């Protein structure tokens, strides 16, 4: 029997717990069926308190999940997961779903190594069908699943047959600004015989308020419902009131139910059941409030505390004063450049503040274009801006540029458009896991004709390289930096043909050239100092522009016995691969060993923890160098050089000598010595000036 419940208050969640917590009795969605009205309201209150306590303690997506508490309870009462398929778009709004499907205990290690994922995860639960953490995907997943179930005779058809299965994508109005969502919607709406229940969670926001025509249309539907609060009828009554008779979704062919108060469990459940009984594609328009029940989130005009680090659960204030991030450094420099050049404009895909454009937007509001969650459009539109005489700076997270690769190639590079891409969260990002590591950009973008890619090692180089990038008006340029503390500047000893020389071991031969990409410079410098203590002469260079390869690097490579490249992108196809190819093309006989991230999906965890696990720590660089020098074939002096034994790093992708050459992952084509190799390396006569660069 359906129950009714009043909307919960939007005041701060009480900190006390009832004597008999309802949440402790809900271990599975089936446990929701027996709860009465008061218990459902109590459960919603408890879940909000739980989210505030746990997410504030470890960090994560808070505001968005506070807004879907009642909606998620209603979904699990109206449908039978995992028999019925619930798909959350974007997946960061799945915390309540995780709680209701028996994973509450995992929130103490949310988004940590080996802990609970911040997104749906198929390895965690049968209730998670997909692992989507990039927006606008759920409708396409739903279309494919519905087609599969229909062909197998399993898709629900409105008959009420419990053996049949419903497909229920839950998508936010922010995600509806993405083009992929409309491609999916077009196919769903055009299949009258393939019922799918689309839940549109409308809170008026992505991070900031949702923009564009769809936002205006949904706003009109909200206003209509407020003007006629008692006009909600059966979805078969399409004429009420007249001003809503021609809404967009009906024109596409979808049955439309709503708007419904998404904080009223009974009303939402009823709307979902009505839509499921229609036997045709339907959209349930649910109104929610992002950050509901937590005053600091509700009062946060920026993004309703969409995602937080560790914060005080009463005030929402970070427990530790944050150190200046790369994003903040970029924001300051972007503001300065905006004042220097009135032709520089900024483009964001629904993330003006997260990518550091707050200052620029405040100072130059007419020169910031937020296009919604639509990276393809952002890049193609930027090409148009460049054609119109401006210099656009497209600011996105590194992992999200993957979606617009075709536009980078065909609309920017082919047209020789002066567009600068700023890729925040490049390399290993940490707690958001596999989908958010920005580890593919160098490998993907390295094949784009004319494109130049820079990786600053410190704030001063970011300022310098950003100005160099926006000065290029006939080709795409890219700046990449991580989600991390920016740290102090690292000054170079000298700059040679655009390459910064960061370290040269005094009085040592030119044993190894270590090429550091961006922020890996600190690791490489620490490794060089350890190598110096082992009697090995290292040179550390920062090419600044890592792609295409600076020809001076091949000159430096030819003067050393070994080259080791270090980057926080995938090893296959990145800077190191390009350096090795450049050396081969220059007929250099110096072996090149490439260190980088493995070609696999990396789990969540701390940034340094992940890098160490991937074989990118100081010790790994030292081991790779020592192993490479053992393998030869070149030496620097006629005398014998002692190469110390360094214990292998077992299981590391970038590790060195640990058995035969076939065990190498990051070795060069020269192979490596086995564990019984002598620690002596015969030198061959070389000119004395090899000690000088």
């Amino acid at each position: 029997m359906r129950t009714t419940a009043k909307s919960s208050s939007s005041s701060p969640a009480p900190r006390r717990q009832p004597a008999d917590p309802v949440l402790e009795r809900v271990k599975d969605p089936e446990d929701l069926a027996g709860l009465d009205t008061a218990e459902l309201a109590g459960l919603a209150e408890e879940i909000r308190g739980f989210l505030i306590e746990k997410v504030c303690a470890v960090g994560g997506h808070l505001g968005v999940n506070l807004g879907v508490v009642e909606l998620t309870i209603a979904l699990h009462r109206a449908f039978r997961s995992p028999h019925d398929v619930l798909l959350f778009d974007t997946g960061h709004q799945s915390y309540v779903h995780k709680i209701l499907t028996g994973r509450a205990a995992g929130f103490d290690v949310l988004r940590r190594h080996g802990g609970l994922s911040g997104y749906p995860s198929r390895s965690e639960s049968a209730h998670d069908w997909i692992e989507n953490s990039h927006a606008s995907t759920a409708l396409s997943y739903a279309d494919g699943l519905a087609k599969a179930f229909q062909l197998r005779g399993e898709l629900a058809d409105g008959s009420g047959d419990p053996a049949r299965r419903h497909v229920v994508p839950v998508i936010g109005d922010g995600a509806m600004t993405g083009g992929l969502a409309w491609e999916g919607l077009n196919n769903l709406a055009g299949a009258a015989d393939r019922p799918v229940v689309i839940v549109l969670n409308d809170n008026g926001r992505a991070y900031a308020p949702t923009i564009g025509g769809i936002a205006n249309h949904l706003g009109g539907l909200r206003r209509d419902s407020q003007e006629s609060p008692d006009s909600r009828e059966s979805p078969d009554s399409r004429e009420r009131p007249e001003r809503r008779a021609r809404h967009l979704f009906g024109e596409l062919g979808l049955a439309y139910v709503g708007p419904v108060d998404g904080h009223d469990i009974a009303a939402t459940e009823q709307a979902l059941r009505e839509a499921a009984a229609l036997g045709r594609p339907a959209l349930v328009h649910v109104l929610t409030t992002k950050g509901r029940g937590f005053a600091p989130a509700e009062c946060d005009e920026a993004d309703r505390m969409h995602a937080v680090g560790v914060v005080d659960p009463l005030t929402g204030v970070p427990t530790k004063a944050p150190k200046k991030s790369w994003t903040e450094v970029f924001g300051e420099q972007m503001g300065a450049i905006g004042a220097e050049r009135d032709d520089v404009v900024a483009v964001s895909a629904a993330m003006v503040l997260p990518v550091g454009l707050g200052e620029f937007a405040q100072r130059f509001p007419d020169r910031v274009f937020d296009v919604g969650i639509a990276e393809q459009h952002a890049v193609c539109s930027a090409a148009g801006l460049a054609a119109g005489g401006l210099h656009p700076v497209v600011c996105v997270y590194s992992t999200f540029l993957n979606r617009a690769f075709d536009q980078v190639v065909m609309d920017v590079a082919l047209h020789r458009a002066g567009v600068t891409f700023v890729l925040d969260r490049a390399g290993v990002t940490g707690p958001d896991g596999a989908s958010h590591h920005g580890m593919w950009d160098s490998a993907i973008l390295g094949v784009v004709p004319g494109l130049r890619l820079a990786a600053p090692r410190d704030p001063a180089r970011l300022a310098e390289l950003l100005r160099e990038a926006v000065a290029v008006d006939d080709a795409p340029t890219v700046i990449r930096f991580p989600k991390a503390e920016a740290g102090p500047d690292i000054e170079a000893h000298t700059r040679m043909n655009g390459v910064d020389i960061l370290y040269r071991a005094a009085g040592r031969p030119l044993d190894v050239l270590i090429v550091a990409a961006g922020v890996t410079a600190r690791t490489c410098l620490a490794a060089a100092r350890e190598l110096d203590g082992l009697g090995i002469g290292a040179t550390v260079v920062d090419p600044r522009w890592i792609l295409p390869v600076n020809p001076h690097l091949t000159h430096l490579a030819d003067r050393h016995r070994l080259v080791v490249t270090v980057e926080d992108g995938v090893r296959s196809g990145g800077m190191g691969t390009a350096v090795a190819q450049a050396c081969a093309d220059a007929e250099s006989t110096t072996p090149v060993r490439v260190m980088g991230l493995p070609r696999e999906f990396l789990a969540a965890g701390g940034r340094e923890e992940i890098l160490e696990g991937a074989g990118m720590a100081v010790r790994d660089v030292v081991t790779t160098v020592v192993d490479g020098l053992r393998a030869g074939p070149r030496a620097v002096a006629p005398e014998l050089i002692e190469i110390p034994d360094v214990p292998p790093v077992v299981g590391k992708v970038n590790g060195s000598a640990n058995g035969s050459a076939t065990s190498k992952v990051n070795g060069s084509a020269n192979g490596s010595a086995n564990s019984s190799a002598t620690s002596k390396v015969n030198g061959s006569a070389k000119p004395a000036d090899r000690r000088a660069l």
Side-chain angles (χ1 to χ4, degrees):
M1 174 181 292
R2 287 200 295 270
T3 60
T4 59
K6 295 182 180 180
S7 299
S8 59
S9 169
S10 62
S11 59
R15 308 314 302 159
R16 63 178 178 81
Q17 292 294 331
D20 182 22
V22 183
L23 183 55
E24 291 185 3
R25 292 187 274 133
V26 177
K27 306 298 183 183
D28 185 89
E30 293 182 357
D31 296 331
L32 296 171
L35 300 182
D36 61 25
T37 301
E39 289 173 317
L40 288 171
L43 176 63
E45 181 180 287
E46 290 176 36
I47 289 175
R48 277 202 174 81
F50 178 91
L51 287 171
I52 293 169
E53 176 188 351
K54 298 298 185 181
V55 179
C56 287
V58 298
H61 291 93
L62 181 60
V64 65
N65 284 290
L66 292 174
V68 297
V69 175
E70 291 85 4
L71 168 58
T72 310
I73 293 172
L75 282 164
H76 277 292
R77 280 174 59 87
F79 300 101
R80 296 180 299 135
S81 175
H83 178 77
D84 295 327
V85 179
L86 301 182
L87 307 172
F88 291 89
D89 186 338
T90 302
H92 57 224
Q93 64 176 317
S94 63
Y95 287 15
V96 184
H97 166 73
K98 287 175 180 272
I99 293 170
L100 297 177
T101 53
R103 287 172 275 177
F107 275 79
D108 288 330
V109 285
L110 176 68
R111 306 195 318 152
R112 295 186 179 178
H113 182 69
L116 196 67
S117 171
Y119 298 95
S121 172
R122 290 176 296 171
S123 65
E124 287 180 4
S125 173
H127 294 277
D128 293 357
W129 280 77
I130 55 176
E131 303 186 13
N132 63 319
S133 47
H134 288 192
S136 312
T137 59
L139 299 187
S140 294
Y141 277 118
D143 179 64
L145 279 162
K147 289 172 178 173
F149 289 167
Q150 184 181 53
L151 288 173
R152 293 164 55 181
E154 298 177 6
L155 185 64
D157 56 3
S159 65
D161 182 353
R164 290 182 172 265
R165 317 176 77 165
H166 294 279
V167 178
V168 188
V170 183
I171 185 168
D173 58 300
M176 287 295 292
T177 63
L180 180 59
W182 290 92
E183 295 176 29
L185 191 68
N186 178 58
N187 281 270
L188 290 169
D193 63 336
R194 198 157 52 239
V196 169
V197 177
I198 302 167
V199 178
L200 175 54
N201 174 28
D202 180 7
N203 60 26
R205 287 179 163 268
Y207 283 86
T210 310
I211 57 90
I214 182 61
N216 296 337
H217 184 70
L218 294 177
L221 294 177
R222 288 194 296 270
R223 288 190 296 274
D224 286 346
S225 68
Q226 291 165 359
E227 292 170 7
S228 304
D230 298 324
S231 64
R232 186 176 176 277
E233 302 175 9
S234 166
D236 291 324
S237 300
R238 294 292 146 221
E239 276 63 50
R240 60 89 176 101
E242 182 62 29
R243 59 184 173 275
R244 289 180 51 206
R246 293 184 60 82
H247 57 72
L248 174 62
F249 304 109
E251 291 296 302
L252 289 173
L254 292 165
Y256 175 88
V257 182
V260 61
D261 179 2
H263 300 296
D264 183 328
I265 297 175
T268 304
E269 181 183 347
Q270 179 183 346
L272 293 170
R273 292 185 184 278
E274 288 176 357
L278 291 175
R280 57 180 288 205
L283 183 141
V284 181
H285 186 186
V286 179
L287 306 182
T288 62
T289 301
K290 190 171 184 178
R292 186 180 178 91
F294 188 40
E298 292 184 351
C299 295
D300 178 19
E301 290 300 321
D303 65 3
R304 297 290 195 271
M305 296 186 73
H306 176 89
V308 298
V310 178
V311 299
D312 185 279
L314 296 178
T315 65
V317 176
T319 56
K320 294 182 180 179
K323 297 180 180 180
K324 182 171 286 189
S325 67
W326 283 97
T327 306
E328 291 174 293
V329 173
F330 162 71
E332 293 171 355
Q333 295 303 319
M334 189 64 181
I337 289 173
E340 297 164 9
R341 290 182 48 176
D342 60 10
D343 65 322
V344 171
V345 297
V347 180
S348 166
M351 303 182 78
V352 170
L353 295 180
V355 296
L357 289 174
E359 178 182 339
F360 191 93
Q362 185 175 17
R363 296 173 65 179
F364 317 107
D366 294 338
R367 290 157 57 188
V368 175
F369 303 100
D370 185 349
V371 301
I373 302 177
E375 288 82 8
Q376 286 180 285
H377 170 67
V379 175
C380 197
S381 177
L385 286 165
L390 301 176
H391 190 101
V393 180
V394 179
C395 306
V396 296
Y397 287 3
S398 170
T399 186
F400 296 148
L401 188 66
N402 299 352
R403 314 180 101 179
F405 176 69
D406 183 68
Q407 284 65 43
V408 173
V409 178
M410 296 301 171
D411 301 307
V412 176
L414 180 63
H415 288 80
R416 301 182 64 84
V419 177
T420 294
F421 298 93
V422 174
L423 305 185
D424 200 331
R425 273 68 166 173
V428 169
T429 58
D432 281 323
S435 63
H436 277 55
H437 294 310
M439 54 192 284
W440 296 282
D441 50 42
S442 298
I444 291 172
L445 297 175
V447 301
V448 179
L451 181 143
R452 298 177 63 198
L453 190 152
R457 67 180 181 268
D458 58 22
R461 255 42 64 181
L462 175 54
E464 177 182 75
L465 289 166
L466 184 59
R467 281 169 172 77
E468 291 180 22
V470 298
V472 177
D473 61 6
D474 61 352
T477 52
V478 181
I479 310 288
R480 74 187 302 270
F481 51 78
K483 178 184 180 182
E485 175 190 345
D489 290 337
I490 302 171
E491 298 302 332
H493 291 297
T494 188
R495 179 170 294 173
M496 302 177 66
N497 299 319
V499 175
D500 280 354
I501 312 299
L502 305 184
Y503 183 90
R504 171 70 190 100
R508 300 285 185 196
L510 300 181
D511 291 324
V512 59
L513 175 69
I514 303 176
V515 183
V519 295
T520 67
R522 296 187 192 280
T523 298
C524 294
L525 286 170
R529 296 184 187 102
E530 285 198 21
L531 290 167
D532 188 52
L534 297 175
I536 297 172
T539 304
V540 179
V541 300
D542 171 15
R544 301 169 59 253
W545 291 94
I546 63 175
L547 294 173
V549 176
N550 188 318
H552 190 62
L553 284 180
T554 60
H555 168 72
L556 293 175
D558 204 43
R559 303 180 69 108
H560 290 75
R561 298 169 55 205
L562 175 71
V563 175
V564 173
T565 67
V566 185
E567 59 193 306
D568 61 343
V570 289
R571 176 178 174 271
S572 303
M575 179 193 74
T577 299
V579 169
Q581 184 63 58
C583 288
D585 291 345
E587 299 183 350
S588 171
T589 58
T590 304
V592 178
R593 295 210 169 193
V594 178
M595 297 187 67
L597 300 175
R599 192 175 62 178
E600 60 188 53
F601 293 107
L602 302 177
R607 176 176 161 79
E608 295 305 319
E609 177 185 33
I610 294 171
L611 287 171
E612 182 176 355
M616 295 290 293
V618 172
R619 183 70 168 178
D620 300 302
V621 178
V622 172
T623 305
T624 299
V625 170
V626 170
D627 183 69
L629 292 174
R630 276 204 189 102
R634 304 170 64 188
V636 298
E639 69 274 13
L640 294 177
I641 305 297
E642 287 285 344
I643 303 298
D645 286 320
V646 177
V649 184
V650 179
K652 294 293 182 69
V653 171
N654 292 311
S656 18
N658 187 16
S660 67
T662 57
S663 68
K664 291 295 179 186
V665 176
N666 283 346
S668 68
N670 296 288
S672 62
N674 61 27
S675 57
S676 64
T678 177
S679 62
K680 299 282 188 179
V681 176
N682 284 312
S684 58
K686 287 289 180 182
D689 66 358
R690 281 181 58 87
R691 291 179 178 271
L693 293 174

